[in-house]
Amino acid sequence: MKRAIGLAFVIIACIAGFLTVRGSMPFMPIFGSSMEPTLHSGGLLTIKPLNPNDIRVGDSIVYNVPPMVREYYNYPPVVAHRVIKINTTPSLGFRTKGDNTGEEPFTVRPMDIRGTVGKQIPFLGLPLLFFQSQQ
């Protein structure tokens, strides 16, 4: 019985890790220190849905990074950074930066917004970060 419970836990963790890497879960592990002291590496971040029209300068948003941008700049699939500027012409777009890093070299499109930063649960993101590593 203990083995079955352990196996079920491992399977659930693998599925959650896979879906988190793909950016399709309402949470994400925090990787890196670009948003410290607000967000700490290894924590698990919940994502609250948000309409892109409701975003304001100073909000911390979670967004998907398009594959071409990800490959060119070596970015992870999902990023949580602070909005520093909102562009309205020629179309709506957001300039972001981490609290400890410089401005992003690209503009975030409204269709890439997943939501705003919710609660942070310390250390719970560590197992999910393992699935994103090369090991």
Side-chain angles (χ1 to χ4, degrees):
M1 184 66 174
K2 287 182 181 180
R3 282 186 174 179
I5 292 172
L7 181 60
F9 180 74
V10 168
I11 291 171
I12 290 170
C14 289
I15 291 170
F18 176 73
L19 292 175
T20 300
V21 169
R22 295 189 61 217
S24 58
M25 297 295 279
F27 54 84
M28 66 178 264
I30 302 168
F31 176 74
S33 60
S34 67
M35 286 296 288
E36 285 192 5
T38 306
L39 303 175
H40 300 283
S41 185
L44 187 69
L45 177 70
T46 60
I47 303 169
K48 296 188 293 188
L50 176 72
N51 184 332
N53 294 324
D54 296 334
I55 296 174
R56 303 289 174 247
V57 172
D59 290 348
S60 294
I61 60 171
V62 179
Y63 54 91
N64 295 323
V65 179
M68 288 180 61
V69 173
R70 202 167 51 225
E71 290 172 16
Y72 188 79
Y73 294 109
N74 195 26
Y75 268 75
V78 182
V79 175
H81 278 167
R82 194 170 309 281
V83 175
I84 58 169
K85 183 179 178 185
I86 300 174
N87 297 328
T88 55
T89 55
S91 62
L92 184 62
F94 305 94
R95 299 296 298 187
T96 61
K97 72 181 275 313
D99 291 348
N100 287 327
T101 60
E103 185 175 341
E104 306 290 1
F106 56 90
T107 299
V108 179
R109 305 172 302 179
M111 68 178 127
D112 295 327
I113 304 289
R114 293 197 46 212
T116 185
V117 170
K119 294 184 181 183
Q120 177 185 184
I121 305 167
F123 307 112
L124 199 55
L126 290 173
L128 299 177
L129 287 172
F130 175 76
F131 290 104
Q132 294 179 357
S133 70
Q134 295 294 327
Q135 285 99 18

